[in-house]
Amino acid sequence: MSKGTLFDKVWDLHTVGILPSGQTQLLIGLHLIHEVTSPQAFAMLRERGLKVLFPERTVATVDHIVPTENQARPFADRLAEEMIQALEQNCQEYGIRFYNVGSGNQGIVHVIAPEQGWTQPGMTVACGDSHTSTHGAFGAIAFGIGTSQVRDVLASQTLALSKLKVRKIEVNGRLRPGVYAKDVILHIIRTLGVKGGVGYAYEFGGTTFDAMSMEERMTVCNMAIEGGARCGYVNPDVVTFEYLQGRDLAPKGADWDKAVAWWTSLSSDADAVYDDVVTFDAANISPTVTWGITPGQGIAVDEVVPFADALDAAERPIAEEAYRYMDLTPGSLLRGTKVDVCFIGSCTNGRLSDLREAAKFAKGRQVAAGVKAFVVPGSEQVKQQAEAEGLHKVFEEAGFEWREPGCSMCLAMNPDKLQGRQLSASSSNRNFKGRQGSANGRTLLMSPAMVVAAAVTGEVSDVRDLL
Ligand code: SF4
């Protein structure tokens, strides 16, 4: 059993009690809600005549269903309009802060909470979205939850959870040019598998993570869930504190110094005991692309699609399914495969640093003929900052569309959808069948820089060739 880790400390500090089931009743410090998983939860509260216990610890935004081309109200999609209206009404009725479209602070839930300073080290965070693990980048313990748990947190500010084991994932060394945080997490998941983290919290440590910005750490923690881990985190350090200082919700004045001392004390101890430790060398990580239908089916861009008999026996059936669905031949190179759509955005890679990096490669180049390429900032703040730097001009001049903030084609619960068998180069986090809005559409996950490389060449390409 792990001991002396940040996970243990935060868990113990938030334990309200042990339930008859043996689970822990855990206090949730920050509850983030959005339009998709909250309406039924509010309906259940009403049925039972319950209130939201801590509205001041509940924050709402709208992200999944918002259109990214025209956000004028009412939305053209009647269902989307009904969903945003329901959230508006629920937030008003229960006194919850709501970052609505046009507020200047709307955006993807996992982008806006960190950028406003809601997410802080040592917190427990919950949200009805799988990629809540993102907030672990701050040294928070953050859980994606289902609708009935959203109800539980609204009503009681607590969750019933079983304690996790802790695996330390240590990556050391400098990333090579053209290799990004996205490649690191895709490499980890391809190595440990999409179920490798089941029952674990992943602690990301080592010199590679030490050297990452907060936005890069968020990219890594965002996809911890894709490796099966219930949550992922990085111990808070000077990078964390520099990011947080001055943000709207961050402590100020003398409270800031106290907070930094407290946050520092929560980091895993030097002699912490882990249930498991896995080590990687950053020099062995290449620009990585998924070839299949799970985020674990990834290869370095210069590798061939693996043969089924080279994989673990348990992996072979899903590999066979992936060859058929993706229309790929084992032993062939993914590089050179024609792409139809290139998408930069999502809570994995829709932050300012992602757009800056992508723009470096887009500058002075042109999107290939026949390719639809678009950039969707993760939040209104990201959009505003990117425009202040002129990034939108760089993208537009290169032939990318520049859109309004939202989840867009990550999940396609809005007008941004693949058509038919289209193949998408995407900076998002899931390549499941039909994930991007077409029942037989296909998705290749990669870093934003690699998406630009695909967009300007019209095919899966190695971004290092553009350096
Ligand atoms: S961008 Fe994708 S993963 Fe992130 S919150 Fe939106 S739909 Fe979920």
Side-chain angles (χ1 to χ4, degrees), residues 63-64 108-110 129 131 222 346-347 407 410-411 429 435:
D63 49 9
H64 289 64
I108 307 173
V109 64
H110 310 309
D129 182 273
H131 296 87
N222 174 276
S346 84
C347 60
C407 293
C410 174
L411 181 59
N429 46 49
R435 169 78 177 181

Side-chain angles (χ1 to χ4, degrees), residues 89-227:
Q89 282 160 12
N90 285 327
C91 289
Q92 195 175 24
E93 181 178 335
Y94 290 99
I96 294 167
R97 189 184 305 217
F98 176 37
Y99 295 119
N100 205 343
V101 173
S103 64
N105 288 316
Q106 174 268 346
I108 307 173
V109 64
H110 310 309
V111 176
I112 63 148
E115 76 187 1
Q116 290 168 43
W118 282 104
T119 309
Q120 295 175 15
M123 270 187 171
T124 46
V125 181
C127 174
D129 182 273
S130 310
H131 296 87
T132 307
S133 55
T134 310
H135 305 266
F138 291 80
I141 301 301
F143 301 105
I145 56 176
T147 294
S148 55
Q149 290 173 305
V150 173
R151 171 205 61 199
D152 294 348
V153 181
L154 288 173
S156 72
Q157 203 64 31
T158 63
L159 272 177
L161 292 169
S162 300
K163 196 167 181 190
L164 301 166
K165 295 185 282 185
V166 184
R167 173 178 290 145
K168 184 172 190 186
I169 298 191
E170 202 169 302
V171 185
N172 290 306
R174 282 177 64 145
L175 295 173
R176 293 178 294 165
V179 179
Y180 298 94
K182 180 67 159 286
D183 302 301
V184 174
I185 189 63
L186 286 174
H187 183 83
I188 291 169
I189 298 170
R190 90 175 262 207
T191 308
L192 300 179
V194 289
K195 294 186 184 150
V198 172
Y200 282 97
Y202 277 176
E203 177 178 307
F204 298 103
T207 58
T208 308
F209 297 117
D210 291 345
M212 281 187 185
S213 68
M214 285 312 295
E215 299 199 348
E216 292 172 305
R217 293 175 187 181
M218 282 189 252
T219 298
V220 171
C221 290
N222 174 276
M223 289 192 71
I225 188 80
E226 303 303 336

